[in-house]
Amino acid sequence: MNAERFHGSIVATLTPFKDGKVDEKAYASFVDWLIREGSDGLVPCGTTGESPTLSHDEHMRVTEICIEAAAGRVPVIAGAGSNSTHEAQKLAIHAEKAGADALLVVTPYYNKPTQAGLYAHFRAVAESTSLPIFIYNIPGRSVIDMTVDTMARLAELPNIRGVKDATADLVRPLAVRQTIGTEFVQLSGEDGTALAFLANGGHGCISVTANIAPRLCAEMQAAWRAGDARTALEIHERLMPLHRALFTETSPSPVKYVAAKLGLCEAEIRLPLVPVTPGTERVLDAAIARTGLEPVGPSRIGN
């Protein structure tokens, strides 16, 4: 795997719905827009894509649409996680056949496996595919935290190549770097700490905010890679109100509200998540204005 392919601003794409179904046309146009705005990669069917409430057929179709719309312009890291190892293997096999560049596999939620169980789960998924795998470590949603030692054991497998770290622990990327090495790709899963994550050895961010501010997120990452820390910090400060606002309620309800305000897709979300409250709408509206986001319009989104 060429680690250089997986860096910068990678969008954890939302999944547009319309009348209870995946809005395939809107999603394809959205993916194209994200790429044209400078995004460095895409992740379909992650948490932001509402993977827990997608049927298996929908999950596979959303992955296919993302790959088709990306058309090789940026890497697609397909979400293929499950708390069932067998199901994760099936999703991984499908994503590889569909043409994904890599996989994002979440630590099994609800089951609460031990570190030995985590190792066995990821090893089984890795053995079912030749694609590079990124471990998605998100204790806040899965209740378990993969240790650096377990990650180091997994990194000995040929296709376990990186991590999406949503711990918000800024000591972690340096510890991983010192334990596993610089070739192990570390991607932040927290927009608010994305710049600090880079400073501690990270390679990029799998971002929620990049759904609605893709150019700014990409420019911040590019500035850091170019050694322009001042510009990176200026952009990060501009984005911070938006980062905070997007997690006023459970994601992705807030980002879908903003996406609808900008004309990117409908705000429709699936139960058990619900649309944001009027109070949160006001918080989000203020963040949109402060960040300077403007409606995209049909001509720019491609519909």
Side-chain angles (χ1 to χ4, degrees), residues 21-230:
K21 298 179 181 180
V22 174
D23 189 339
E24 296 192 5
K25 181 180 178 182
Y27 186 55
S29 296
F30 179 58
V31 165
D32 180 66
W33 176 73
L34 290 172
I35 296 170
R36 288 188 284 109
E37 287 291 294
S39 300
D40 297 299
L42 304 164
V43 176
C45 300
T47 306
T48 310
E50 297 179 72
S51 59
T53 52
L54 294 176
S55 71
H56 288 178
D57 287 345
E58 286 175 329
H59 187 123
M60 293 176 183
R61 182 59 187 145
V62 168
T63 298
E64 291 166 356
I65 294 168
C66 187
I67 293 165
E68 292 164 4
R73 289 174 289 173
V74 298
V76 173
I77 307 173
S82 173
N83 63 340
S84 162
T85 303
H86 178 66
E87 183 175 297
Q89 289 174 310
K90 287 180 65 177
L91 292 173
I93 291 167
H94 169 266
E96 182 166 12
K97 289 180 179 177
D101 299 282
L103 304 171
L104 182 67
V105 180
V106 70
T107 49
Y109 41 87
Y110 190 76
N111 311 52
K112 296 179 70 173
T114 62
Q115 295 299 308
L118 286 174
Y119 178 83
H121 172 83
F122 278 90
R123 179 167 187 153
V125 176
E127 290 174 347
S128 71
T129 178
S130 65
L131 289 180
I133 291 175
F134 288 85
I135 298 161
Y136 183 9
N137 193 29
I138 182 165
R141 286 187 185 260
S142 65
V143 192
I144 52 170
D145 182 9
M146 181 181 288
T147 66
V148 175
D149 288 344
T150 300
M151 208 169 292
R153 286 186 66 204
L154 285 168
E156 294 173 0
L157 302 176
N159 57 335
I160 302 287
R161 303 311 306 153
V163 61
K164 176 186 177 182
D165 186 318
T167 65
D169 177 0
L170 294 175
V171 175
R172 186 70 67 95
L174 187 56
V176 169
R177 180 185 178 91
Q178 292 177 333
T179 303
I180 303 176
T182 59
E183 292 301 309
F184 192 74
V185 180
Q186 296 193 72
L187 303 170
S188 171
E190 298 280 347
D191 278 297
T193 59
L195 187 56
F197 192 89
L198 290 171
N200 280 281
H203 299 84
C205 182
I206 296 180
S207 169
V208 175
T209 304
N211 280 279
I212 52 175
R215 185 167 295 279
L216 283 172
C217 290
E219 287 175 348
M220 187 200 79
Q221 292 281 338
W224 179 264
R225 288 198 305 278
D228 187 354
R230 176 179 294 181

